[in-house]
Amino acid sequence: MRTLKFRSLFVASAVLLAGCQSGNVANAPGTPTAYKDPGTRGLVTGVGIESQDIITMTDKMMRDMMTTPGLVGRAPAPQVLIDATLFENQSSQRINKRLITTRLRGGLQRAAKGRMVFVSRRALDAILKERKLKRRGKVDVGTTGFTRAVAGVDYQLRGEIMDQTKQDPNTGAIERYNMINFEMLDMERGTIIWSGLYEFVKAGQNDAIYR
Amino acid sequence: MSIFKSLAVAAIAAGALGACQTVVEPNPVCDFTKVQEARDNPSSGPVLVSLVPGAHTDMPLNTVNITDVAVTNKILLQATNAQRTETGNVRVWARMVNCTDFALQLEGRTHFLNAGQAPVEGVTAWKRVFMSPRSIGTFTDLSIAAKDVETYLIEIREGT
């Protein structure tokens, strides 16, 4: 009789423990991470510059540049510098400017197929170091041979990111006018040979946090 | 009693006059049945055909495909064409009519194809077109490639 009582108590405890455990564990799959089309508005959207804006903007600018005879119709091909340091973020939002310049430079480089030559100044220290090593005979000449100097820049792409935000104090609704200006500057004559403007307004009840 | 009679006559006359006043609907007045008719009787021209015969309807090229049912009965294609730029690239455009009494936002992109209907370059990014009520809006796009572009297909969806 005593053994039976003990056994019943044991079973009851086990059931209770199991009950506790199932109460704490949400045994269900979480929301799966999903790939999204970067050219389309995503799940989290605010009033700032987002992937779809960057893709549309850089695509538009690239195509516009590729149809500008002064830029792509020249022989020899112009030497162009596109660098994030030449882009000024005057807006109130956080944005990695390289998202714009890298996409633009990459797209143009693929599209131009030699009709524009792109100069890198980010790697200037590494380039100068390699040139020195070659000239001192520490390494061989490579296969492209020597040049008198590194490439100079004919045209430099400059840009500004600007915005104006307004918020309704009663409802909290927020609206932002974003404007991104691009200018291709002739580095000898100081003239602007091409310019492009991309602007849009976004409004919403809440803004997203951009990091 | 005569006053009541006079009032009744005046009311009837006013009602009759009101009925005479025709409400002029702003242009354009759209008829979407024509779209289906045109689709049922396609004009000759390049088309994308199904790999499995009859598995999907032919997709005409050098035109606009409105891919979003949210706007298929709201906008009409008025005209589309393409021309070569000075640099040899192809500029395509499509003019659309907003048949509704509301502002619409559309997004468009273009496939540029060669003579063999292979893509010459990646599809362009979605670009936005804003359309006021009962107005026209024009979508334009540019190819990167020049001489290889033979046909194009513009896709339109509702902008979000």
Side-chain angles (χ1 to χ4, degrees):
Chain A
M1 188 65 186
R2 209 173 147 188
T3 321
L4 194 68
K5 262 189 180 173
F6 181 75
R7 275 185 186 164
S8 306
L9 194 66
F10 181 77
V11 169
S13 306
V15 167
L16 270 173
L17 270 170
C20 279
Q21 205 169 32
S22 63
N24 289 336
V25 177
N27 191 17
T31 309
T33 306
Y35 283 97
K36 296 278 181 184
D37 175 6
T40 299
R41 198 171 71 115
L43 186 67
V44 180
T45 304
V47 295
I49 300 169
E50 292 168 347
S51 67
Q52 69 274 17
D53 303 312
I54 290 170
I55 288 172
T56 302
M57 170 172 66
T58 50
D59 190 76
K60 191 169 181 274
M61 294 304 144
M62 179 188 70
R63 287 171 193 280
D64 202 51
M65 278 190 238
M66 290 306 298
T67 52
T68 303
L71 269 173
V72 291
R74 277 193 41 202
Q79 297 179 166
V80 180
L81 177 63
I82 299 177
D83 196 286
T85 56
L86 305 170
F87 264 70
E88 231 180 296
N89 182 11
Q90 298 168 359
S91 74
S92 58
Q93 57 198 302
R94 292 190 67 170
I95 183 165
N96 184 348
K97 296 177 289 180
R98 283 195 184 135
L99 290 171
I100 300 170
T101 54
T102 305
R103 197 171 194 283
L104 201 50
R105 189 175 51 241
L108 276 170
Q109 179 118 41
R110 280 196 307 276
K113 293 190 173 90
R115 286 179 286 172
M116 276 191 246
V117 175
F118 294 90
V119 176
S120 171
R121 285 287 156 84
R122 269 184 78 192
L124 189 60
D125 287 345
I127 295 161
L128 293 177
K129 195 175 161 190
E130 187 65 22
R131 284 172 66 88
K132 202 178 274 183
L133 288 170
K134 283 178 182 173
R135 277 151 185 81
R136 283 180 181 170
K138 301 281 184 197
V139 296
D140 73 12
V141 184
T143 56
T144 53
F146 286 131
T147 57
R148 200 160 47 86
V150 295
V153 172
D154 294 319
Y155 303 140
Q156 193 177 77
L157 186 72
R158 302 182 81 89
E160 293 126 28
I161 304 161
M162 298 163 270
D163 71 2
Q164 187 180 49
T165 308
K166 49 187 175 181
Q167 190 161 21
D168 188 322
N170 297 319
T171 63
I174 192 164
E175 189 174 297
R176 185 174 292 158
Y177 169 51
N178 297 278
M179 186 209 272
I180 301 102
N181 184 44
F182 299 83
E183 283 175 353
M184 190 68 88
L185 190 66
D186 184 325
M187 294 305 286
E188 195 61 38
R189 301 183 64 219
T191 52
I192 297 165
I193 61 151
W194 172 89
S195 64
L197 190 73
Y198 189 79
E199 56 187 349
F200 58 94
V201 173
K202 275 188 186 174
Q205 191 56 45
N206 295 302
D207 194 11
I209 299 165
Y210 298 94
R211 295 189 181 120
Chain B
M1 190 65 188
S2 64
I3 295 167
F4 284 121
K5 261 186 183 173
S6 304
L7 279 172
V9 169
I12 290 163
L17 272 170
C20 286
Q21 204 173 31
T22 318
V23 177
V24 179
E25 213 182 328
N27 262 336
V29 179
C30 305
D31 182 0
F32 284 88
T33 56
K34 304 286 180 196
V35 177
Q36 192 56 52
E37 281 173 25
R39 201 178 277 184
D40 294 339
N41 305 294
S43 55
S44 61
V47 289
L48 293 177
V49 294
S50 170
L51 194 62
V52 177
H56 68 66
T57 51
D58 290 351
M59 297 170 74
L61 293 172
N62 298 336
T63 189
V64 174
N65 184 21
I66 299 164
T67 61
D68 191 348
V69 287
V71 289
T72 42
N73 277 55
K74 289 181 178 176
I75 56 162
L76 279 176
L77 175 67
Q78 190 271 321
T80 180
N81 213 332
Q83 59 197 102
R84 296 259 172 206
T85 66
E86 202 181 328
T87 48
N89 307 70
V90 175
R91 184 190 300 275
V92 296
W93 60 268
R95 191 162 47 228
M96 292 158 295
V97 180
N98 177 3
C99 299
T100 73
D101 294 323
F102 303 92
L104 285 178
Q105 240 188 83
L106 304 172
E107 286 179 331
R109 65 177 188 177
T110 312
H111 297 267
F112 290 102
L113 311 173
N114 66 14
Q117 297 187 339
V120 172
E121 58 192 52
V123 62
T124 66
W126 290 103
K127 292 180 185 73
R128 218 166 273 271
V129 180
F130 293 93
M131 296 182 78
S132 302
R134 304 273 185 156
S135 70
I136 56 169
T138 306
F139 167 82
T140 59
D141 225 337
L142 277 164
S143 74
I144 296 170
K147 59 182 184 217
D148 293 340
V149 178
E150 285 294 326
T151 54
Y152 66 93
L153 177 62
I154 298 171
E155 289 176 333
I156 297 286
R157 70 180 182 187
E158 186 171 30
T160 51

